[in-house]
Amino acid sequence: GEDVEQSLFLSVREGDSSVINCTYTDSSSTYLYWYKQEPGAGLQLLTYIFSNMDMKQDQRLTVLLNKKDKHLSLRIADTQTGDSAIYFCAESTKGSSASKIIFGSGTRLSIRP
Amino acid sequence: DVKVTQSSRYLVKRTGEKVFLECVQDMDHENMFWYRQDPGLGLRLIYFSYDVKMKEKGDIPEGYSVSREKKERFSLILESASTNQTSMYLCATGQGRRETQYFGPGTRLLVL
């Protein structure tokens, strides 16, 4: 079945770049997403990429998609303490009657001073 | 802005109790979802609904049921709560080609 995998933890120094990686299995995914969850809150969409793109940039965020390897990454430039959160990679997939989104387990990003 | 609200932020219930978790959205979205979030397991889909009175099982529907009598409201029901249903429950809504989902703040349920 469909699966999305990402590492559970990442620690970076403040001001450095963070790179969060994700692999997925459904080659027919139309969209791939990055969601952010701050402590005590629900998930918030950070950015998404259409499957026929290989890169998308939005201010400090860069998303890279390698469709051949089914690999998605999120780069956060100049990481700040406010970037501390859990980041979820997700892919859209067709269910029996409607599209579903499959989420990874989330990567907890912590920032060192 | 899309607003998705959940009836409680924190809930404590006893084993065997019937539990209702409510979710309300104000954006007229067709699709609504219930997930549970557990450490190391990410989000797992319990049930979803793509229209009023329509529901479809997600990946872990056992022990849960849902109700969608009105478009803006999607309820998750635990018929007889058990300790392994202690979790964070997240409601989401979505519509459109991008299938972007918008999440509520979550309900942290503790079953004793």
mmCIF file of all heavy atoms in Angstrom, chain A residues 49-71:
data_model
loop_
_atom_site.group_PDB
_atom_site.id
_atom_site.type_symbol
_atom_site.label_atom_id
_atom_site.label_comp_id
_atom_site.label_asym_id
_atom_site.label_seq_id
_atom_site.Cartn_x
_atom_site.Cartn_y
_atom_site.Cartn_z
ATOM 1 N N ILE A 49 3.807 20.855 -3.790
ATOM 2 C CA ILE A 49 4.409 20.850 -5.109
ATOM 3 C C ILE A 49 3.620 19.904 -5.992
ATOM 4 O O ILE A 49 3.201 18.821 -5.556
ATOM 5 C CB ILE A 49 5.913 20.480 -5.032
ATOM 6 C CG1 ILE A 49 6.602 20.662 -6.394
ATOM 7 C CG2 ILE A 49 6.113 19.068 -4.507
ATOM 8 C CD1 ILE A 49 8.131 20.614 -6.294
ATOM 9 N N PHE A 50 3.368 20.319 -7.211
ATOM 10 C CA PHE A 50 2.684 19.476 -8.175
ATOM 11 C C PHE A 50 3.697 18.471 -8.706
ATOM 12 O O PHE A 50 4.883 18.790 -8.878
ATOM 13 C CB PHE A 50 2.122 20.360 -9.285
ATOM 14 C CG PHE A 50 1.205 19.668 -10.238
ATOM 15 C CD1 PHE A 50 0.172 18.859 -9.781
ATOM 16 C CD2 PHE A 50 1.363 19.818 -11.608
ATOM 17 C CE1 PHE A 50 -0.670 18.214 -10.664
ATOM 18 C CE2 PHE A 50 0.518 19.174 -12.497
ATOM 19 C CZ PHE A 50 -0.495 18.381 -12.027
ATOM 20 N N SER A 51 3.240 17.282 -9.018
ATOM 21 C CA SER A 51 4.175 16.196 -9.318
ATOM 22 C C SER A 51 4.953 16.381 -10.612
ATOM 23 O O SER A 51 5.924 15.659 -10.846
ATOM 24 C CB SER A 51 3.431 14.863 -9.348
ATOM 25 O OG SER A 51 2.405 14.910 -10.319
ATOM 26 N N ASN A 52 4.550 17.327 -11.463
ATOM 27 C CA ASN A 52 5.328 17.528 -12.690
ATOM 28 C C ASN A 52 6.387 18.632 -12.533
ATOM 29 O O ASN A 52 7.017 19.029 -13.496
ATOM 30 C CB ASN A 52 4.411 17.823 -13.879
ATOM 31 C CG ASN A 52 3.756 19.176 -13.778
ATOM 32 O OD1 ASN A 52 3.876 19.845 -12.755
ATOM 33 N ND2 ASN A 52 3.057 19.589 -14.819
ATOM 34 N N MET A 53 6.532 19.116 -11.282
ATOM 35 C CA MET A 53 7.575 20.108 -11.004
ATOM 36 C C MET A 53 8.724 19.408 -10.306
ATOM 37 O O MET A 53 8.532 18.356 -9.677
ATOM 38 C CB MET A 53 7.015 21.200 -10.075
ATOM 39 C CG MET A 53 5.873 21.982 -10.693
ATOM 40 S SD MET A 53 5.016 22.984 -9.452
ATOM 41 C CE MET A 53 6.292 24.129 -8.969
ATOM 42 N N ASP A 54 9.917 19.976 -10.374
ATOM 43 C CA ASP A 54 11.003 19.391 -9.586
ATOM 44 C C ASP A 54 11.513 20.332 -8.501
ATOM 45 O O ASP A 54 12.286 19.910 -7.647
ATOM 46 C CB ASP A 54 12.154 18.900 -10.476
ATOM 47 C CG ASP A 54 12.596 19.958 -11.458
ATOM 48 O OD1 ASP A 54 12.358 21.153 -11.209
ATOM 49 O OD2 ASP A 54 13.180 19.591 -12.495
ATOM 50 N N MET A 55 11.073 21.573 -8.534
ATOM 51 C CA MET A 55 11.499 22.492 -7.487
ATOM 52 C C MET A 55 10.455 23.587 -7.315
ATOM 53 O O MET A 55 9.808 24.016 -8.273
ATOM 54 C CB MET A 55 12.835 23.142 -7.847
ATOM 55 C CG MET A 55 13.398 24.008 -6.743
ATOM 56 S SD MET A 55 14.979 24.734 -7.151
ATOM 57 C CE MET A 55 14.499 26.403 -7.483
ATOM 58 N N LYS A 56 10.330 24.010 -6.063
ATOM 59 C CA LYS A 56 9.472 25.152 -5.776
ATOM 60 C C LYS A 56 10.115 25.951 -4.653
ATOM 61 O O LYS A 56 10.549 25.372 -3.650
ATOM 62 C CB LYS A 56 8.081 24.671 -5.358
ATOM 63 C CG LYS A 56 7.120 25.795 -5.070
ATOM 64 C CD LYS A 56 5.747 25.260 -4.717
ATOM 65 C CE LYS A 56 4.779 26.399 -4.436
ATOM 66 N NZ LYS A 56 3.432 25.908 -4.078
ATOM 67 N N GLN A 57 10.190 27.257 -4.840
ATOM 68 C CA GLN A 57 10.795 28.105 -3.809
ATOM 69 C C GLN A 57 9.760 29.109 -3.318
ATOM 70 O O GLN A 57 9.009 29.692 -4.098
ATOM 71 C CB GLN A 57 11.991 28.850 -4.397
ATOM 72 C CG GLN A 57 12.768 29.631 -3.373
ATOM 73 C CD GLN A 57 14.257 29.582 -3.612
ATOM 74 O OE1 GLN A 57 14.713 29.113 -4.645
ATOM 75 N NE2 GLN A 57 15.012 30.061 -2.659
ATOM 76 N N ASP A 58 9.749 29.298 -2.011
ATOM 77 C CA ASP A 58 8.818 30.244 -1.402
ATOM 78 C C ASP A 58 9.525 30.860 -0.211
ATOM 79 O O ASP A 58 9.574 30.273 0.864
ATOM 80 C CB ASP A 58 7.542 29.511 -0.975
ATOM 81 C CG ASP A 58 6.502 30.447 -0.385
ATOM 82 O OD1 ASP A 58 6.739 31.671 -0.350
ATOM 83 O OD2 ASP A 58 5.441 29.954 0.034
ATOM 84 N N GLN A 59 10.108 32.021 -0.402
ATOM 85 C CA GLN A 59 10.867 32.736 0.626
ATOM 86 C C GLN A 59 11.971 31.830 1.170
ATOM 87 O O GLN A 59 12.866 31.436 0.430
ATOM 88 C CB GLN A 59 9.919 33.265 1.706
ATOM 89 C CG GLN A 59 8.906 34.237 1.139
ATOM 90 C CD GLN A 59 7.982 34.824 2.186
ATOM 91 O OE1 GLN A 59 7.778 34.273 3.267
ATOM 92 N NE2 GLN A 59 7.410 35.967 1.880
ATOM 93 N N ARG A 60 11.939 31.491 2.442
ATOM 94 C CA ARG A 60 13.027 30.676 3.006
ATOM 95 C C ARG A 60 12.874 29.185 2.716
ATOM 96 O O ARG A 60 13.749 28.390 3.060
ATOM 97 C CB ARG A 60 13.117 30.886 4.518
ATOM 98 C CG ARG A 60 13.599 32.268 4.942
ATOM 99 C CD ARG A 60 13.920 32.326 6.434
ATOM 100 N NE ARG A 60 12.757 32.069 7.265
ATOM 101 C CZ ARG A 60 12.686 31.116 8.187
ATOM 102 N NH1 ARG A 60 13.709 30.287 8.378
ATOM 103 N NH2 ARG A 60 11.602 30.964 8.928
ATOM 104 N N LEU A 61 11.773 28.804 2.108
ATOM 105 C CA LEU A 61 11.492 27.381 1.887
ATOM 106 C C LEU A 61 11.802 26.988 0.448
ATOM 107 O O LEU A 61 11.409 27.681 -0.488
ATOM 108 C CB LEU A 61 10.012 27.083 2.159
ATOM 109 C CG LEU A 61 9.468 27.468 3.524
ATOM 110 C CD1 LEU A 61 7.979 27.142 3.602
ATOM 111 C CD2 LEU A 61 10.215 26.767 4.635
ATOM 112 N N THR A 62 12.495 25.854 0.295
ATOM 113 C CA THR A 62 12.730 25.273 -1.023
ATOM 114 C C THR A 62 12.308 23.816 -0.979
ATOM 115 O O THR A 62 12.755 23.069 -0.101
ATOM 116 C CB THR A 62 14.209 25.359 -1.432
ATOM 117 O OG1 THR A 62 14.641 26.711 -1.366
ATOM 118 C CG2 THR A 62 14.411 24.828 -2.844
ATOM 119 N N VAL A 63 11.446 23.434 -1.903
ATOM 120 C CA VAL A 63 11.018 22.042 -2.007
ATOM 121 C C VAL A 63 11.655 21.451 -3.245
ATOM 122 O O VAL A 63 11.609 22.036 -4.320
ATOM 123 C CB VAL A 63 9.485 21.941 -2.109
ATOM 124 C CG1 VAL A 63 9.064 20.486 -2.268
ATOM 125 C CG2 VAL A 63 8.822 22.563 -0.899
ATOM 126 N N LEU A 64 12.282 20.286 -3.071
ATOM 127 C CA LEU A 64 12.860 19.564 -4.206
ATOM 128 C C LEU A 64 12.154 18.227 -4.357
ATOM 129 O O LEU A 64 11.948 17.517 -3.366
ATOM 130 C CB LEU A 64 14.354 19.336 -3.981
ATOM 131 C CG LEU A 64 15.246 20.577 -3.941
ATOM 132 C CD1 LEU A 64 16.683 20.172 -3.639
ATOM 133 C CD2 LEU A 64 15.177 21.342 -5.255
ATOM 134 N N LEU A 65 11.795 17.898 -5.577
ATOM 135 C CA LEU A 65 11.120 16.626 -5.849
ATOM 136 C C LEU A 65 11.917 15.841 -6.868
ATOM 137 O O LEU A 65 12.181 16.325 -7.974
ATOM 138 C CB LEU A 65 9.704 16.880 -6.369
ATOM 139 C CG LEU A 65 8.912 15.655 -6.833
ATOM 140 C CD1 LEU A 65 8.722 14.659 -5.685
ATOM 141 C CD2 LEU A 65 7.571 16.066 -7.411
ATOM 142 N N ASN A 66 12.294 14.639 -6.502
ATOM 143 C CA ASN A 66 12.937 13.705 -7.415
ATOM 144 C C ASN A 66 11.935 12.583 -7.655
ATOM 145 O O ASN A 66 11.797 11.660 -6.843
ATOM 146 C CB ASN A 66 14.231 13.164 -6.799
ATOM 147 C CG ASN A 66 14.951 12.195 -7.710
ATOM 148 O OD1 ASN A 66 14.329 11.476 -8.509
ATOM 149 N ND2 ASN A 66 16.260 12.163 -7.614
ATOM 150 N N LYS A 67 11.215 12.698 -8.758
ATOM 151 C CA LYS A 67 10.118 11.764 -8.997
ATOM 152 C C LYS A 67 10.632 10.357 -9.298
ATOM 153 O O LYS A 67 9.994 9.368 -8.956
ATOM 154 C CB LYS A 67 9.262 12.274 -10.153
ATOM 155 C CG LYS A 67 7.841 11.804 -10.086
ATOM 156 C CD LYS A 67 6.972 12.499 -11.074
ATOM 157 C CE LYS A 67 5.585 11.835 -11.037
ATOM 158 N NZ LYS A 67 4.708 12.351 -12.070
ATOM 159 N N LYS A 68 11.794 10.294 -9.916
ATOM 160 C CA LYS A 68 12.358 8.977 -10.256
ATOM 161 C C LYS A 68 12.657 8.175 -8.989
ATOM 162 O O LYS A 68 12.342 6.998 -8.901
ATOM 163 C CB LYS A 68 13.625 9.172 -11.086
ATOM 164 C CG LYS A 68 14.377 7.914 -11.445
ATOM 165 C CD LYS A 68 15.526 8.242 -12.382
ATOM 166 C CE LYS A 68 16.574 7.138 -12.382
ATOM 167 N NZ LYS A 68 17.320 7.057 -11.133
ATOM 168 N N ASP A 69 13.232 8.863 -8.000
ATOM 169 C CA ASP A 69 13.574 8.185 -6.744
ATOM 170 C C ASP A 69 12.451 8.285 -5.720
ATOM 171 O O ASP A 69 12.593 7.782 -4.603
ATOM 172 C CB ASP A 69 14.845 8.791 -6.148
ATOM 173 C CG ASP A 69 16.062 8.521 -7.024
ATOM 174 O OD1 ASP A 69 16.008 7.582 -7.837
ATOM 175 O OD2 ASP A 69 17.051 9.267 -6.905
ATOM 176 N N LYS A 70 11.369 8.986 -6.064
ATOM 177 C CA LYS A 70 10.245 9.215 -5.129
ATOM 178 C C LYS A 70 10.780 9.826 -3.829
ATOM 179 O O LYS A 70 10.531 9.328 -2.724
ATOM 180 C CB LYS A 70 9.476 7.922 -4.862
ATOM 181 C CG LYS A 70 8.863 7.322 -6.111
ATOM 182 C CD LYS A 70 7.827 6.278 -5.753
ATOM 183 C CE LYS A 70 7.424 5.492 -6.967
ATOM 184 N NZ LYS A 70 8.054 4.187 -7.090
ATOM 185 N N HIS A 71 11.512 10.898 -3.978
ATOM 186 C CA HIS A 71 12.141 11.562 -2.855
ATOM 187 C C HIS A 71 11.751 13.030 -2.859
ATOM 188 O O HIS A 71 11.837 13.717 -3.884
ATOM 189 C CB HIS A 71 13.671 11.411 -2.953
ATOM 190 C CG HIS A 71 14.401 12.024 -1.814
ATOM 191 N ND1 HIS A 71 14.885 13.309 -1.847
ATOM 192 C CD2 HIS A 71 14.716 11.525 -0.592
ATOM 193 C CE1 HIS A 71 15.470 13.584 -0.694
ATOM 194 N NE2 HIS A 71 15.383 12.523 0.072
#
